[in-house]
Amino acid sequence: MRLQVVIFIGLALVTLGTAQSIDEVFDQKNQDAGNAGTPGPTIQGNSGTESTCTCVPYYQCNNNNTINTDGNGLIDIRLKNEDCADYLEVCCKAPVKVDPDHPITPKPPINKPTGCGSRNPEGVGFRITGGNEEAQFAEFPWMVAVLREETIEGNPNKLNVYQCGGALIHPSVVLTAAHCATGKDKKFKIRAGEWDTQTKNEILPHQDRDVKQVIVHKDYYAGALFNDIALMFLQEPVTIDGNVDVVCVPPQGLILDSSRCFASGWGKDVFGKEGKYQVILKKIELPIVNRDACQEKLRNTRLGAHFQLHKSFICAGGHGKDTCRGDGGSPLVCPVPGHDDRYVQAGIVAWGIGCGENQVPGVYVNIPLFRDWIDEQMKAYGYDTTTYSY
């Protein structure tokens, strides 16, 4: 993914006049139609004998090709079996009947870390191999898709149109960019726990929630995206789960200087009409760029020698890896100082010059500048601020 956003205000995946449902945007092919549990074809074994298998969700099949009956074990989803229609299913032998007098005792569940910002670098339930830009399933459990409801003339059904990314900081609150959340009479919802947009066969389901109120920073300037930050309060809280959790928010004024930060999103891989939006959530590792160095690099672009980088921005990247169109509002996270296993949101994808231009960093909302504002809004509307504190 080269995840960077151009300095266009319309950073949504779908522009006006070409509205599509989120399924259409990502070329939904109805891959989730019910294959699970249906008998599979007869497989010819090495010995020449035939055996019958059953198509089951990938995470229910053990490495020895038998159905998992105690809930444990991992598989590589890149191991496909052409006999099953869905790539997240494999052809697996039926389970052996268990003697009721000698039941199998399941192993205890893995303890889930508590507190904000717990990343899952190895994924949850399974691990994908191959591409280094695809996020693992539930690797960034705070990542959400911001959708807007839209009605098309002649179509009685409401469409969920992908707008931007966002991050959970509370079970009832999403942090996103102001440019993603403005517009008269727009009705938004969020989708938490999403990963592969072409299937619903992940080990844990996504969760959709309606947005009841949007709070945009009072000093937001749409012309140059100054103070490009907004909060979305949800009609109902999400349920914290293995693939849904909150990210930490840094203290006011914290200076983050890390080369191990990550941006995530479903945005375009390259800028322009040839770019394609991502099906599986992508991630890129980016270093934070010094403010003065970033301003100098941006002055070497069409912005010119007199460009002044506003205090509400920070920079990251600039070495061929970047965020891109459609990633607006998505989080940039860095390790919590002194705790490499937990992450704090350092920025929000805001804008850039092209996508992935060499020596041109991407520009992000400077979250440490807005911690006091976030706390003020949370308290004013009766929400707990400890969910994102560390």
Side-chain angles (χ1 to χ4, degrees):
M1 159 190 77
R2 296 182 180 162
L3 284 150
Q4 183 171 351
V5 196
V6 189
I7 198 165
F8 297 129
I9 304 306
L11 296 169
L13 292 183
V14 184
T15 56
L16 295 176
T18 59
Q20 297 171 282
S21 69
I22 188 170
D23 291 339
E24 290 172 330
V25 167
F26 294 116
D27 297 321
Q28 174 73 23
K29 297 177 181 176
N30 297 320
Q31 294 182 2
D32 3 319
N35 292 311
T38 59
T42 299
I43 305 300
Q44 186 73 35
N46 293 330
S47 62
T49 61
E50 294 183 346
S51 61
T52 302
C53 65
T54 300
C55 290
V56 298
Y58 61 90
Y59 50 84
Q60 294 178 4
C61 192
N62 293 320
N63 289 335
N64 63 357
N65 206 34
T66 60
I67 290 179
N68 185 326
T69 58
D70 65 359
N72 290 282
L74 305 176
I75 70 164
D76 181 351
I77 70 164
R78 290 295 181 255
L79 296 178
K80 296 174 62 176
N81 189 316
E82 300 301 330
D83 298 312
C84 298
D86 194 294
Y87 82 100
L88 287 180
E89 291 183 341
V90 295
C91 209
C92 194
K93 294 178 182 177
V96 177
K97 291 184 178 180
V98 178
D99 183 349
D101 296 328
H102 299 86
I104 298 174
T105 302
K107 297 179 182 179
I110 299 174
N111 292 326
K112 185 181 183 299
T114 58
C116 62
S118 294
R119 176 181 163 229
N120 300 304
E122 298 300 313
V124 170
F126 64 92
R127 188 178 190 281
I128 61 171
T129 60
N132 57 11
E133 288 190 351
E134 289 183 348
Q136 298 293 334
F137 174 70
E139 181 172 356
F140 304 102
W142 48 80
M143 183 73 201
V144 304
V146 176
L147 315 174
R148 73 176 188 273
E149 284 192 357
E150 190 165 301
T151 302
I152 303 299
E153 186 177 354
N155 187 342
N157 300 319
K158 291 183 178 180
L159 302 179
N160 290 325
V161 180
Y162 184 88
Q163 182 85 353
C164 278
L168 284 168
I169 61 172
H170 181 284
S172 293
V173 185
V174 168
L175 181 63
T176 188
H179 75 256
C180 295
T182 55
K184 187 177 180 181
D185 299 327
K186 283 186 178 179
K187 186 176 181 181
F188 297 102
K189 66 170 54 177
I190 65 97
R191 177 167 294 178
E194 181 64 282
W195 179 64
D196 184 337
T197 61
Q198 284 192 350
T199 184
K200 295 179 182 177
N201 276 0
E202 291 102 337
I203 189 171
L204 295 169
H206 63 250
Q207 302 177 35
D208 287 358
R209 296 292 187 272
D210 291 330
V211 175
K212 68 177 180 181
Q213 190 170 9
V214 176
I215 305 298
V216 174
H217 196 282
K218 63 181 180 62
D219 294 325
Y220 169 58
Y221 170 46
L225 298 186
F226 297 165
N227 307 302
D228 186 20
I229 188 170
L231 294 172
M232 290 183 163
F233 297 135
L234 308 182
Q235 193 72 43
E236 297 179 355
V238 298
T239 300
I240 299 301
D241 205 342
N243 63 333
V244 177
D245 210 339
V246 300
V247 70
C248 300
V249 177
Q252 182 74 19
L254 179 69
I255 298 176
L256 291 164
D257 183 13
S258 173
S259 60
R260 295 186 55 250
C261 301
F262 290 92
S264 54
W266 290 278
K268 282 191 173 185
D269 51 359
V270 295
F271 179 61
K273 63 182 180 180
E274 67 275 14
K276 296 180 180 179
Y277 296 107
Q278 307 305 300
V279 171
I280 293 178
L281 183 68
K282 292 295 190 293
K283 66 178 179 182
I284 49 172
E285 189 169 349
L286 300 169
I288 298 292
V289 178
N290 174 273
R291 182 176 191 81
D292 291 339
C294 178
Q295 180 172 270
E296 188 61 32
K297 291 178 184 297
L298 291 172
R299 285 178 174 178
N300 291 328
T301 70
R302 63 174 178 266
L303 296 174
H306 301 289
F307 173 75
Q308 298 289 328
L309 185 65
H310 193 261
K311 64 180 181 179
S312 65
F313 297 125
I314 60 171
C315 301
H319 301 286
K321 293 183 178 181
D322 232 329
T323 47
C324 201
R325 186 178 179 89
D327 290 314
S330 297
L332 172 71
V333 299
C334 304
V336 171
H339 300 275
D340 288 348
D341 59 338
R342 297 177 68 187
Y343 282 76
V344 61
Q345 185 169 354
I348 301 173
V349 177
W351 60 271
I353 304 298
C355 294
E357 301 292 336
N358 195 29
Q359 301 301 313
V360 182
V363 183
Y364 300 76
V365 179
N366 180 9
I367 297 299
L369 182 68
F370 296 101
R371 171 60 186 262
D372 288 348
W373 177 82
I374 293 171
D375 286 352
E376 289 172 4
Q377 306 310 311
M378 294 287 286
K379 292 175 182 178
Y381 289 90
Y383 292 101
D384 182 14
T385 62
T386 62
T387 58
Y388 51 78
S389 300
Y390 60 91

